[in-house]
Amino acid sequence: MLIDDVEIKINAGHGGKGAVAFNKNLMSLGPAGGSGGKGGSVYGESVSDLSALRQFRFKKKISAENGRDGHGQFRDGHDGSDLILELPVGTVAHNLTNGGEINFEKIGERILLAKGGIGGKGNFQFRSSINTTPTQFGPGMPGENFTFRLELKFIADIGFVGLPNVGKTSLLNKLTNAGSKVANYPFTTLEPNLGAYYELILADIPGLIEGSSTGRGLGIKFLRHIERTHILFHFISAESPDPLKDYKTIRKELGAWNSALLEKPERLFLTKSNLATPSELKIKLAALSAIGGSASGGKKIDSHVIAISINDAKSIKNVEKILNDIKAEK
Ligand SMILES: Nc1nc2c(ncn2[C@@H]2O[C@H](COP(=O)(O)OP(=O)(O)OP(=O)(O)O)[C@@H](O)[C@H]2O)c(=O)[nH]1
Ligand SMILES: [Mg+2]
């Protein structure tokens, strides 16, 4: 099960306490208390493993080490170790405590989530000409404590949407080496898949149905994974008695999640074209062409519709041509 939305508590380490101590060497009486160490900070680091949020399935509280207290003889306490959390690239860390938002977008990028507290000064640091035997010390500062919601939103160029069983995953497999499961029944895809077509990342999500937005089927929560795509590929099966109705059903569910999805440029594909007769195809393509232009919101790409079949190499070439054009524009 892909974990793509979790809430965790993050505590950075407390700074160590400063020491109050005096030099035992008879020749040089004086303050000798060392300072406390810094508390460990907590960082996030983007990794390519999209299932990395699984580590938080049961572990909801993350604490970095506290700084150690200072000692006599000028010995400062050790700093607490920093903690580095591996987060899948595409994670949005919503800081529920202060309303902040951090995006993890580049693999290897490390960003501070919660800063450790500074250590308290030992009494040696308080010495002065008028305070030669200071008994003051710093207590050390608390580390930052935050509640974060970690939400994974795939970073992909193109999002695949459509009813179940229309051939979304089949096409992903044809175009990329995703090797995802395909079968002749609805809801084969239970979790989003990514595939790479050269430098374009394609995101295939589970099929939507009428009422997904109210929780039917697998619901619409996976739409978060296409929120940040630039273009949608919308698949409608040529087997459908009413392709236009299918199209509208999906658009309604997209809009219910986030109306911004309706503004994205989209391309329409009438799939499984080998299962319809040429005259059927013609009628169905015409029905979809009618809505094509207006639905795209007049964005860069025309959303005219083409018929494809994974069994028809020429039609796959046409899809690749579209992808190559998108790639060239990127
Ligand atoms: N005849 C024919 N069958 C196809 C074509 N494309 C896909 N299929 C078949 O249609 C069935 C469904 O394909 P999937 O790729 O799993 O469909 P999906 O849209 O990803 O389905 P969900 O994951 O359930 O949303 C499988 O049995 C495929 O082999 C096609 O072009 N022609
Ligand atoms: Mg699928």
Side-chain angles (χ1 to χ4, degrees), residues 13-291:
H14 200 293
K17 196 165 73 184
V20 176
F22 292 92
N23 202 323
K24 296 196 182 69
N25 183 335
L26 286 177
M27 301 298 291
S28 57
L29 285 164
S35 298
K38 272 198 315 251
S41 295
V42 182
Y43 294 84
E45 183 172 312
S46 313
V47 296
S48 60
D49 176 10
L50 294 175
S51 65
L53 291 181
R54 184 175 305 165
Q55 65 184 303
F56 305 116
R57 196 160 158 212
F58 301 113
K59 191 167 195 256
K60 305 280 187 201
K61 198 173 158 192
I62 310 293
S63 303
E65 241 177 19
N66 293 328
R68 254 44 68 78
D69 294 345
H71 300 278
Q73 295 295 95
F74 310 106
R75 283 183 299 139
D76 291 338
H78 287 291
D79 291 344
S81 308
D82 291 339
L83 209 56
I84 291 143
L85 306 178
E86 293 192 340
L87 304 178
V89 64
T91 299
V92 184
H94 306 272
N95 187 324
L96 302 182
T97 312
N98 68 14
E101 193 178 291
I102 302 167
N103 280 283
F104 290 86
E105 290 176 342
K106 273 198 279 271
I107 290 171
E109 188 177 31
R110 192 176 284 183
I111 307 174
L112 181 71
L113 292 171
K115 195 170 171 49
I118 55 170
K121 288 176 180 168
N123 71 337
F124 177 71
Q125 301 288 343
F126 288 91
R127 76 198 184 285
S128 72
S129 54
I130 53 159
N131 189 10
T132 54
T133 53
T135 53
Q136 299 99 314
F137 66 97
M141 300 301 286
E144 290 178 322
N145 288 338
F146 295 129
T147 300
F148 274 99
R149 174 177 168 217
L150 303 175
E151 189 188 15
L152 174 61
K153 293 183 180 188
F154 284 179
I155 295 175
D157 299 286
I158 299 170
F160 284 14
V161 295
L163 292 172
N165 211 29
V166 298
K168 299 180 293 297
T169 307
S170 302
L171 185 71
L172 183 81
N173 288 347
K174 201 86 188 171
L175 297 168
T176 73
N177 61 4
S180 301
K181 188 179 171 197
V182 160
N184 194 17
Y185 54 80
F187 305 117
T188 306
T189 303
L190 298 173
E191 283 161 11
N193 296 310
L194 287 182
Y197 177 82
Y198 300 95
E199 71 262 31
L200 288 181
I201 307 294
L202 317 181
D204 163 41
I205 62 167
L208 298 167
I209 54 173
E210 184 172 5
S212 285
S213 52
T214 55
R216 283 188 64 213
L218 296 173
I220 51 171
K221 61 183 190 292
F222 295 117
L223 285 174
R224 70 161 59 93
H225 295 295
I226 56 157
E227 255 177 38
R228 304 201 283 192
T229 60
H230 302 302
I231 300 165
L232 299 181
F233 277 15
H234 188 152
F235 299 90
I236 301 133
S237 173
E239 283 184 302
S240 166
D242 191 349
L244 190 56
K245 179 163 166 263
D246 293 357
Y247 173 81
K248 288 180 177 162
T249 298
I250 296 298
R251 296 285 294 179
K252 193 166 158 228
E253 301 306 318
L254 296 180
W257 172 263
N258 180 348
S259 60
L261 290 180
L262 300 177
E263 301 301 317
K264 288 184 192 290
E266 69 169 5
R267 305 285 312 217
L268 308 187
F269 298 91
L270 190 64
T271 58
K272 305 194 186 184
S273 61
N274 59 321
L275 297 182
T277 64
S279 62
E280 270 178 337
L281 271 186
K282 213 171 146 199
I283 294 166
K284 290 176 179 176
L285 282 172
L288 290 170
S289 309
I291 40 111

